[in-house]
Each structure stands twice: as C-alpha cells, then as structure tokens.
Amino acid sequence: QLQASGGGLVQPGGSLRLSCAASGLILNEHGVGWFRQAPGKEREGVSCLNANDLHTYYAESVKGRFTISRDSNKNIVYLQMNSLKPEDTAVYYCATTPYYPCSNSGSDYEYWGQGTLVTVSS
C-alpha cells in the first residue's frame, strides 16, 4: 500500500516536499513514479526513479525545479518541488513499477497511492 502526502496550498515560487510512504512493500525493489492530474486534464508523468536509483526521469515542465529521491531506511520516496508555478496545481499520485527503466506511462505502474492535492496560488 502506498500513501502520498505533503500537498497543500503554496504561493508561486514556493516549495513543497511530497512523500510516498509504503507499507507491505519495499520501495527499494521497485521503480517509483510521481504523476499528477489537473482538473480537466489528462494524467501526466512527472518524475520517476529506478529501483537501483541510477535512472531518473523528469517531465520537461518540471526539469530543474523538481527532484525525486529515496530514503531507503524509511521506505519513502520524496518529490521535492521548488519554484512552484500555478500550472503545477494538481492532484499528485505516486506509484510503483516493476519495469526498468521507469517510464512516464501510467500503464506501466501497478500499485498506486491515493492522491495529495497541491495548489499553487497567490
């Protein structure tokens, strides 16, 4: 089971750190991806991290602003989001994939957490 948390309301230019915590699942053994879905828009792959941490993916829209990382001891994957923009407003989801390298395609992911809402607004 996955649980995403850390969302909230932040002003443009601000930062948030999302957490994806796992129970009954060892995240080290899986690729982990972050996706988001804004109202009226399709789900978008934001970032992913391979099980061996040697490969990461970032959508062009978040490159240089978002960083994905893993804390193996805590069994958590983080998404650090800096320089947030109003267009980053969405529900963010984390998910695991057995595939290598990880991808931005939701169909490659098998376990999904519930979403956490990020709202970027002044």
Side-chain angles (χ1 to χ4, degrees):
Q1 185 176 5
L2 299 177
Q3 183 168 359
S5 62
L9 173 64
V10 63
Q11 292 186 342
S15 298
L16 282 174
R17 187 177 74 166
L18 305 184
S19 298
C20 178
S23 59
L25 189 68
I26 301 174
L27 288 181
N28 273 355
E29 300 175 352
H30 297 80
V32 177
W34 284 97
F35 294 79
R36 66 185 180 186
Q37 188 163 23
K41 294 189 176 181
E42 292 187 355
R43 185 177 59 195
E44 173 189 19
V46 174
S47 181
C48 73
L49 177 66
N50 272 346
N52 61 10
D53 292 354
L54 293 180
H55 170 76
T56 57
Y57 161 84
Y58 294 98
E60 285 297 324
S61 57
V62 307
K63 275 184 179 178
R65 300 188 298 122
F66 290 12
T67 303
I68 190 169
S69 63
R70 187 194 307 269
D71 186 329
S72 299
N73 291 330
K74 295 182 178 179
N75 206 27
I76 295 176
V77 170
Y78 299 104
L79 184 68
Q80 178 67 43
M81 306 187 298
N82 299 329
S83 302
L84 283 162
K85 304 175 181 180
E87 50 264 42
D88 294 318
T89 295
V91 177
Y92 284 71
Y93 302 87
C94 62
T96 64
T97 177
Y99 297 113
Y100 180 96
C102 61
S103 77
N104 64 338
S105 173
S107 60
D108 288 343
Y109 290 76
E110 53 184 358
Y111 299 112
W112 291 79
Q114 91 295 348
T116 184
L117 176 62
V118 172
T119 303
V120 185
S121 175
S122 55

